[in-house]
Amino acid sequence: MQRMIQFDQVTKRYPGGNEALKNLSFTIDTGEMAFLAGHSGAGKSTLLKLVAGIERASSGSVIVSGQNLSKLRSSQIPYVRQHIGMVFQDHKLLFDRSVFDNVMLPLDIIGFDRRDAARRVRAALDKVGLLSKEKSMPIRLSGGEQQRLCIARAVVHRPSLLLADEPSANLDRAYALDIMELFKSFHQVGVTVVISAHDETLMEDYGRRIIRLKEGQFAA
Amino acid sequence: MKHFLYLNWQSARQALVKILRQPFGSLLTLLMLSIALALPLSLYLTVSSIQEWAGRLTATPQITLFMEQSAEEADLAAVSSTLTKHPRIQSYSFVGKKQALSDLEKRNGLPGLSDGLTDNPLPDAFVVTPKTLEPHELEMLQKELSGLPMVETAQFDARWAKRLYGMVEMGKQLTWFLGAALGIALVLVTHNAVRMQILARRDEIEVAKLIGAPDSFIRRPFMYHAMWQGLLAGLAAWGLTSWLVITANPAIHEFAQLYNEAVQLRGLSPVELLVVLAISALLAMLGARLASDHHLRQIQPR
């Protein structure tokens, strides 16, 4: 089995001396679906940021689909991110453009053919159940819909790795389950999925690996 | 490749639409840029008009070589062959002593003057037209020619040519200086305009970076915005100078008539206009590039 993510003795120290991750080593296989659990401040977000190259490890190596991120120049990092889909807790949507254009952005960046791109965008919106709202502005969507829009944007360019940082944090349980089902369906078509959450009850139903963090280390 | 061109075309079009949609927002910047361009341009046109007029005036400065009275045919032939071979001489003509005397008679209305003279007191002469117009070189040439065998003197009235040349030269220097200073101002103005745009679109840039946009993608719309602004400013500056030429010319013409001269302020030629547009677009893009390189680095994630 190939490895999608490999951490070797990774430590992340923020300026000011706060150690978010302490000497962490683990791997996540290609095609795996894994959960990151722990209280806020345990290091879940930092771990995901290291995988996406948003932050750099202070020591140790982070290898994502064969690329050692610590050795890449910062100008090469964007191209690594183009193969990753990211779902953010605060959605990070652009409120000055329509639902459709929000989902179009990753395809514009990659340089996708315009006509194929429109088809892809509609397919992604259909998948998350927002096709009827493609012309709406994101501000008119509910919290759950905004989260699903963020997911559509994360998967529209068909990344091989999907990272979700607390995707269900602000949603009620029914919505949260909906979103988990969505992630499961991406996993079933071969996408490696890593989801962080502080609420473990959602994860346990899925019978997947749970990586538990506490103060930057594996929890017992 | 085709897609790359398409993307660039898209950015270029969108940037232009954005400028045209908020004409008043861009107007202030545009006005600053076009005035910054129009100043050195007007000076350039003035100087080159004066130069044109001065060139017509002096036509070409001439050096006159007066031979010694004792010069013989062989000496004349030697000088004449030196002049023919000289690299810095464009042409020359020979005025023999007999011709000089008859010219004098004709010009002064004194027919029979030569009859009263036992000897022709006038020397043989060469009138030399040099290739160069530069006073220093002319002086060197004059010295060199006066050193030729059997040449009595080489005459050249350098003083007023020197003064005019100096003035034109000073005007040129001033044009360069103003052009450079205001070119830098143009870079700084676009730098500032793009900086404001980047700060205003911080969120958008952050999101684009998070989902894998390389700097070139983020920079592209700003670069095109600057390019259009540079081009429009160039056109506006051309308009300003044309307006200056049209309004100032009658007055200049009237003034020059008092001195029986035909002086005209000229406008930009098509080639010059193209050069001005290219330079202003490039300088504006340089400003945009500097601003984006500096400020994109400050937006997380890096």
Side-chain angles (χ1 to χ4, degrees):
Chain A
M1 192 56 117
Q2 245 196 322
R3 280 159 184 174
M4 178 57 82
I5 299 170
Q6 184 177 352
F7 272 50
D8 265 328
Q9 300 182 311
V10 172
T11 296
K12 175 63 188 178
R13 213 174 293 110
Y14 282 109
N18 172 30
E19 272 196 353
L21 295 178
K22 293 167 191 160
N23 204 20
L24 217 56
S25 301
F26 69 94
T27 58
I28 291 177
D29 291 333
T30 301
E32 196 181 338
M33 180 166 172
F35 290 100
L36 275 178
H39 295 293
S40 50
K44 304 183 305 277
S45 293
T46 301
L47 192 152
L48 291 176
K49 281 179 181 167
L50 286 175
V51 174
I54 296 170
E55 297 284 354
R56 295 226 181 195
S58 309
S59 67
S61 65
V62 176
I63 299 172
V64 177
S65 66
Q67 299 250 47
N68 190 339
L69 299 191
S70 353
K71 288 194 176 150
L72 285 185
R73 278 186 283 119
S74 30
S75 61
Q76 294 172 301
I77 293 289
Y79 301 99
V80 174
R81 269 182 219 148
Q82 289 178 4
H83 297 284
I84 300 177
M86 278 200 281
V87 178
F88 307 96
Q89 184 180 352
D90 57 353
H91 319 321
K92 297 209 182 295
L93 299 172
L94 295 175
F95 290 98
D96 64 341
R97 57 188 79 184
S98 69
V99 165
F100 183 92
D101 286 338
N102 264 281
V103 181
M104 184 59 108
L105 187 60
L107 298 179
D108 270 347
I109 289 170
I110 297 175
F112 222 76
D113 182 82
R114 262 326 243 215
R115 250 167 299 155
D116 289 349
R119 215 174 304 133
R120 282 260 193 124
V121 169
R122 295 214 170 83
L125 284 174
D126 192 27
K127 179 85 186 164
V128 300
L130 285 176
L131 189 52
S132 59
K133 305 207 169 175
E134 63 165 283
K135 290 197 179 70
S136 307
M137 296 308 266
I139 198 76
R140 312 198 46 185
L141 302 181
S142 72
E145 284 172 328
Q146 288 188 5
Q147 188 57 280
R148 281 185 287 159
L149 175 56
C150 183
I151 293 171
R153 187 184 63 190
V155 300
V156 69
H157 56 300
R158 295 185 191 155
S160 47
L161 174 60
L162 187 57
L163 305 176
D165 190 9
E166 306 258 6
S168 52
N170 307 317
L171 305 178
D172 59 39
R173 196 170 170 83
Y175 249 141
L177 280 172
D178 257 11
I179 287 194
M180 284 301 176
E181 283 303 316
L182 257 176
F183 285 127
K184 200 173 141 194
S185 70
F186 294 124
H187 163 63
Q188 278 162 352
V189 295
V191 179
T192 309
V193 183
V194 182
I195 304 165
S196 82
H198 58 265
D199 178 12
E200 281 192 39
T201 59
L202 270 174
M203 309 174 184
E204 277 156 357
D205 305 340
Y206 288 89
R208 306 281 169 188
R209 176 147 72 119
I210 302 177
I211 299 169
R212 291 188 176 82
L213 290 177
K214 193 178 180 187
E215 289 169 4
Q217 289 170 308
F218 293 123
Chain B
M1 187 62 199
K2 200 172 140 196
H3 184 77
F4 175 77
L5 289 179
Y6 176 77
L7 270 186
N8 276 280
W9 159 240
Q10 280 282 321
S11 301
R13 213 192 46 167
Q14 281 162 10
L16 183 62
V17 166
K18 212 170 218 167
I19 291 179
L20 296 180
R21 265 201 203 138
Q22 357 172 287
F24 292 103
S26 328
L27 197 67
L28 201 67
T29 318
L30 212 56
L31 214 60
M32 272 160 82
L33 293 180
S34 48
I35 289 172
L37 282 168
L39 275 172
L41 272 184
S42 323
L43 190 62
Y44 166 75
L45 289 176
T46 310
V47 168
S48 72
S49 299
I50 291 177
Q51 205 177 7
E52 217 169 74
W53 167 73
R56 222 175 330 117
L57 204 63
T58 38
T60 36
Q62 289 176 330
I63 300 175
T64 312
L65 302 185
F66 292 109
M67 303 299 290
E68 298 201 12
Q69 280 293 350
S70 53
E72 298 186 0
E73 280 301 312
D75 301 319
L76 294 179
V79 169
S80 142
S81 83
T82 311
L83 292 180
T84 312
K85 282 182 225 144
H86 203 289
R88 271 184 304 206
I89 289 175
Q90 193 171 347
S91 64
Y92 69 92
S93 61
F94 176 70
V95 183
K97 29 174 101 175
K98 275 185 206 146
Q99 195 195 335
L101 191 60
S102 67
D103 280 355
L104 190 66
E105 284 177 345
K106 259 184 241 155
R107 228 180 309 146
N108 293 339
L110 297 168
L113 176 71
S114 55
D115 301 339
L117 295 168
T118 48
D119 251 343
N120 184 349
L122 297 175
D124 290 314
F126 289 94
V127 179
V128 175
T129 306
K131 276 185 185 153
T132 176
L133 290 172
E134 202 271 321
H136 182 66
E137 278 183 49
L138 282 176
E139 226 166 304
M140 299 264 290
L141 187 65
Q142 179 205 3
K143 272 197 193 117
E144 188 192 332
L145 293 181
S146 63
L148 288 175
M150 298 307 285
V151 170
E152 169 122 53
T153 52
Q155 251 185 22
F156 167 58
D157 183 15
R159 248 184 318 166
W160 93 269
K162 237 187 221 170
R163 271 188 214 140
L164 186 67
Y165 184 86
M167 248 163 61
V168 170
E169 219 31 37
M170 191 182 73
K172 273 194 205 162
Q173 296 292 334
L174 200 61
T175 308
W176 275 114
F177 174 75
L178 258 185
L182 291 163
I184 291 170
L186 198 148
V187 171
L188 293 179
V189 168
T190 37
H191 185 287
N192 194 49
V194 167
R195 186 180 68 97
M196 306 283 266
Q197 281 187 40
I198 288 176
L199 294 182
R201 293 169 66 179
R202 217 189 160 91
D203 293 341
E204 188 185 337
I205 291 169
E206 187 198 330
V207 170
K209 278 189 162 192
L210 278 174
I211 57 185
D215 281 354
S216 60
F217 178 87
I218 297 169
R219 209 189 294 128
R220 199 176 293 137
F222 301 120
M223 296 297 282
Y224 276 108
H225 180 87
M227 182 194 81
W228 288 119
Q229 224 161 29
L231 284 177
L232 288 175
L235 280 176
W238 174 60
L240 282 177
T241 53
S242 305
W243 176 70
L244 171 77
V245 167
I246 291 168
T247 50
N249 253 340
I252 292 173
H253 182 72
E254 209 167 305
F255 176 75
Q257 283 249 285
L258 297 176
Y259 295 89
N260 270 328
E261 288 288 346
V263 185
Q264 218 182 12
L265 194 58
R266 70 183 188 90
L268 281 179
S269 75
V271 174
E272 286 169 333
L273 175 61
L274 281 181
V275 170
V276 166
L277 290 180
I279 288 177
S280 70
L282 282 176
L283 286 178
M285 285 170 88
L286 177 67
R289 176 72 196 234
L290 291 175
S292 53
D293 277 0
H294 183 214
H295 291 284
L296 291 186
R297 235 177 290 138
Q298 295 176 337
I299 297 179
Q300 294 280 4
R302 280 175 196 137

